[in-house]
């Protein structure tokens, strides 16, 4: 529901920006107010059916609405840096080529639906992929420590860079990626940091490409994968090399 209402909100923003006489282009205060009102109204609309079905969902809606002012400030800060919403919810993918155990060429299709793409008006050809997470910044920071074990954003980046037309990003390269928290702890996080960027995406891509190819080759050949946990946990487990339990 949050993904749907955010997509609708940004599409409404693009429509409003095309209207003659709109105040949201040159007046930051008017833009902030418009964004907050639109997000509030579209949230009520998106959650209406869910709340009618289960009144407990109302608490989820109210928790999200408390996030709206901070989310709008984050959006305004991005725009000040030249970043602007481009599109959302696009299915992207790429063909992964690898060798099977007999040395023959194989190919599988890897696809995903990216939450959002932004482009930078200040740097020609620069684009960014964004993934919304209904998680706290603390969890996002832990996620960032193991990007190659959780390469969702890198998959999107590779997919677009190999086929920019798939996300309507012709002439753009994805060298930036970040997670955005939709569940910021407004009491604890005094700096109101809402997003966390994946560092050094161009440098990570060759490592990621090699890793995903080797992992798929092992799976295809029915070889064991490297266990996440130390031997003390995994040594005697029948699922060793298969289990991907995240807690490790």
């Amino acid at each position: 529901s949050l993904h749907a209402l955010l997509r609708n909100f940004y599409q409404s923003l693009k429509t409003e920006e095309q209207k003659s006489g709109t105040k949201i282009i040159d007046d930051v205060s008017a833009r902030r107010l418009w964004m907050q009102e639109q997000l509030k109204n579209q949230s009520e609309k998106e959650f209406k059916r869910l709340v009618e079905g289960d009144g407990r969902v109302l608490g989820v809606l109210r928790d999200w609405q408390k996030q709206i002012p901070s989310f709008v400030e984050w959006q305004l800060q991005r725009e000040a840096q030249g970043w602007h919403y481009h599109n959302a919810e696009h299915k992207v993918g790429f063909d992964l080529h690898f060798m099977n155990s007999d040395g023959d060429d194989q190919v599988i299709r890897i696809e995903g639906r990216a939450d959002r793409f932004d482009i930078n008006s200040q740097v020609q050809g620069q684009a960014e992929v964004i993934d919304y997470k209904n998680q706290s910044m603390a969890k996002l920071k832990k996620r960032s420590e193991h990007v190659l074990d959780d390469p969702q954003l890198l998959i999107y980046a590779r997919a677009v860079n190999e086929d920019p037309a798939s996300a309507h990003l012709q002439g753009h390269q994805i060298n930036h990626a970040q997670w955005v928290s939709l569940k910021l702890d407004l009491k604890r996080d005094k700096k109101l940091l809402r997003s966390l960027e994946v560092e050094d995406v161009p440098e990570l891509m060759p490592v990621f490409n090699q890793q995903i190819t080797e992992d798929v080759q092992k799976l295809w050949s029915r070889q064991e994968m490297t266990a996440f946990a130390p031997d003390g946990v995994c040594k005697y487990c029948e699922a060793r090399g298969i289990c991907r339990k995240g807690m490790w």
Side-chain angles (χ1 to χ4, degrees):
S1 296
L2 288 174
H3 284 65
L5 71 89
L6 286 171
R7 180 192 63 227
N8 294 338
F9 162 72
Y10 281 109
Q11 289 300 129
S12 297
L13 176 61
K14 292 179 73 172
T15 300
E16 181 68 20
E17 289 174 334
Q18 300 301 315
K19 294 180 179 179
S20 60
T22 182
K23 296 180 179 180
I24 72 168
I25 299 297
D26 301 317
D27 189 333
V28 176
S29 297
R31 189 177 183 87
R32 178 184 293 107
L33 181 61
W34 185 93
M35 285 182 173
Q36 290 181 353
E37 289 298 317
Q38 282 292 315
L39 264 179
K40 179 181 178 181
N41 294 337
Q42 293 201 27
S43 298
E44 294 280 357
K45 181 179 179 181
E46 184 68 30
F47 274 83
K48 181 179 179 181
R49 177 180 56 83
L50 297 175
V51 172
E52 290 174 348
D54 186 346
R56 292 172 295 182
V57 178
L58 183 61
V60 179
L61 171 60
R62 296 298 178 239
D63 285 343
W64 157 246
Q65 288 179 322
K66 293 176 183 177
Q67 301 273 332
I68 289 176
S70 171
F71 185 87
V72 168
E73 289 304 318
W74 169 79
Q75 175 62 31
L76 291 173
Q77 290 172 11
R78 279 188 62 76
E79 293 176 355
Q81 297 167 358
W83 291 105
H84 296 275
Y85 168 85
H86 183 63
N87 57 35
E89 302 295 332
H90 268 276
K91 185 178 180 180
V92 295
F94 61 90
D95 291 332
L96 180 68
H97 296 265
F98 62 96
M99 305 285 287
N100 64 19
S101 57
D102 296 325
D104 298 324
D105 291 331
Q106 296 286 339
V107 59
I108 63 172
R109 183 73 177 172
I110 296 180
E111 294 181 334
R113 188 172 295 277
D115 289 347
R116 168 176 164 184
F117 293 106
D118 283 10
I119 58 175
N120 196 310
S121 59
Q122 298 176 3
V123 182
Q124 186 176 2
Q126 190 172 94
E128 182 169 38
V129 59
I130 290 175
D131 191 59
Y132 297 128
K133 293 296 183 187
N134 195 38
Q135 298 176 341
S136 66
M137 283 301 296
K139 288 187 177 181
L140 292 186
K141 289 177 182 178
K142 289 183 179 179
R143 182 185 292 269
S144 70
E145 296 171 0
H146 306 283
V147 176
L148 291 174
D149 290 336
D150 184 11
Q152 181 182 12
L153 285 170
L154 299 181
I155 288 174
Y156 296 153
R158 174 173 171 175
V160 172
N161 290 340
E162 291 189 7
D163 182 15
S166 64
H168 307 294
L169 285 167
Q170 292 94 331
H172 291 81
Q173 185 84 4
I174 299 286
N175 288 327
H176 297 268
Q178 66 175 295
W179 299 284
V180 176
S181 171
L182 302 181
K183 198 176 182 181
L184 194 66
D185 190 329
L186 300 175
K187 293 182 179 179
R188 292 185 179 181
D189 194 341
K190 301 300 182 183
K191 296 181 180 180
L192 297 181
L193 299 176
R194 183 167 290 279
S195 61
L196 186 63
E197 188 166 355
V198 178
E199 297 181 357
D200 304 320
V201 170
E203 288 76 13
L204 278 173
M205 291 307 293
V207 182
F208 159 67
N209 291 336
Q210 180 179 352
Q211 175 183 289
I212 194 172
T213 302
E214 292 177 353
D215 285 348
V216 170
Q217 284 181 168
K218 287 182 179 179
L219 286 170
W220 199 268
S221 302
R222 300 186 179 184
Q223 298 177 23
E224 287 188 348
M225 303 289 287
T226 302
F228 278 3
D231 283 347
V233 176
C234 283
K235 186 174 182 180
Y236 303 104
C237 178
E238 293 182 357
R240 179 180 175 87
I242 300 174
C243 170
R244 312 320 289 161
K245 194 170 181 65
M247 65 179 288
W248 307 128

